[in-house]
Amino acid sequence: MYTHKVEICGVNTSRLKTLTDEEKRELLILSRSGDREARKELILGNLRLVLSIVQRFSSRHENADDLFQVGCIGLIKAIDNFNTELDVKFSTYAVPMIIGEVRRYLRDNNPIRVSRSMRDLAYRSLGVREEILRRESREPGTEEIAAALGEKKEAVGRAMEAIVEPVSLYESVYSDGDDAVYVIDQLKDNEATEDSWIENLSLREAMKKLGERERYIVERRFYAGRTQMEIAEEIGISQAQVSRLEKGAIEKIRREF
């Protein structure tokens, strides 16, 4: 999305200005006192930070200009709410604010539907999170947010997870030249291991060597969840006969293994 893209929203990204921490603090103090020029200079001096953050969302295939504008809204909120009396770097406070604004935009444009009640709880949770972040310049935990809302921790956690935008299995999480690692490469299924595949193949082969009636009984018992009595009624024999055939079939399968 951003490859070779120099201009975003009419801004030449190759010429973005950078500010030192000291310059930022001085401009923040002036901005808080109502100096609009200082506020403007502070915004322009942090556009490179916005650009670096929205580039993290390049795999979402969203319009670059739209994401940049949304990121700038987060930057402006951070500037207007930053507490200069706290011993915290502005970027430490601004980054989660910008990310939060971009994620909110992506969430609102998410094609996956979430129930109104869960979305409402998620928004209220985000409001509490941002209030604590603004007031104390720290990231609150789910339990703290739930306590402030008078909700259960589990409910808040589910609501927050429900509005997170989906991630492609083929999104790159690491790249080194031509070598890339994708999300799908990091997934692990503890049940679908090599040993389990071999066992399933062996079981399939063993099942082929059973008689037709034995195979039917095993499939109905262990795949369809039927009782011996139900199977007996289906094929017109006694439960004792079903039990005997089932045990014989299992013994044959064990020998094949």
Side-chain angles (χ1 to χ4, degrees), residues 67-81:
L67 288 187
F68 189 72
Q69 290 180 46
V70 172
C72 288
I73 293 173
L75 171 63
I76 292 170
K77 286 184 177 181
I79 291 172
D80 292 344
N81 292 291

Side-chain angles (χ1 to χ4, degrees), residues 68-247:
F68 189 72
Q69 290 180 46
V70 172
C72 288
I73 293 173
L75 171 63
I76 292 170
K77 286 184 177 181
I79 291 172
D80 292 344
N81 292 291
F82 182 69
N83 188 347
T84 55
E85 296 178 0
L86 296 176
D87 186 22
V88 178
K89 291 176 64 175
F90 174 70
S91 58
T92 302
Y93 178 77
V95 167
M97 290 287 284
I98 297 169
I99 291 175
E101 200 66 32
V102 174
R103 284 180 172 167
R104 185 180 295 106
Y105 168 80
L106 293 172
R107 182 176 63 248
D108 291 342
N109 288 276
N110 194 338
I112 297 176
R113 300 300 177 188
V114 179
S115 69
R116 184 183 297 272
S117 59
M118 186 167 287
R119 185 181 290 273
D120 177 65
L121 177 57
Y123 283 155
R124 289 192 291 122
S125 300
L126 288 174
V128 171
R129 171 187 172 275
E130 290 184 6
E131 172 59 26
I132 295 174
L133 183 61
R134 183 193 66 77
R135 188 177 65 246
E136 303 180 24
S137 296
R138 65 177 180 82
E139 187 77 32
T142 305
E143 191 169 348
E144 185 177 1
I145 294 173
L149 292 171
E151 299 281 354
K152 293 182 178 180
K153 176 184 175 181
E154 294 76 12
V156 171
R158 284 195 298 270
M160 296 287 278
E161 289 175 359
I163 59 173
V164 174
E165 66 277 5
V167 177
S168 169
L169 290 175
Y170 295 96
E171 178 177 340
S172 175
V173 295
Y174 172 77
S175 179
D176 182 12
D178 295 332
D179 297 325
V181 177
Y182 301 96
V183 172
I184 194 170
D185 298 323
Q186 304 299 301
L187 300 179
K188 180 181 180 182
D189 187 345
N190 291 323
E191 294 183 359
T193 61
E194 183 178 343
D195 288 342
S196 68
W197 291 344
I198 292 173
E199 287 181 4
N200 286 333
L201 288 172
S202 300
L203 178 58
R204 194 173 303 167
E205 290 301 312
M207 288 283 286
K208 290 178 181 179
K209 297 182 179 181
L210 296 178
E212 184 178 347
R213 179 174 283 186
E214 291 174 323
R215 186 163 58 249
Y216 180 85
I217 290 172
V218 170
E219 287 174 349
R220 300 297 283 171
R221 279 283 285 150
F222 301 104
Y223 291 92
R226 295 290 191 271
T227 65
Q228 290 182 350
M229 181 64 75
E230 288 172 333
I231 297 172
E233 292 176 357
E234 288 176 13
I235 61 180
I237 61 176
S238 67
Q239 181 182 354
Q241 287 176 296
V242 171
S243 177
R244 186 167 60 252
L245 288 168
E246 179 185 312
K247 290 178 181 178

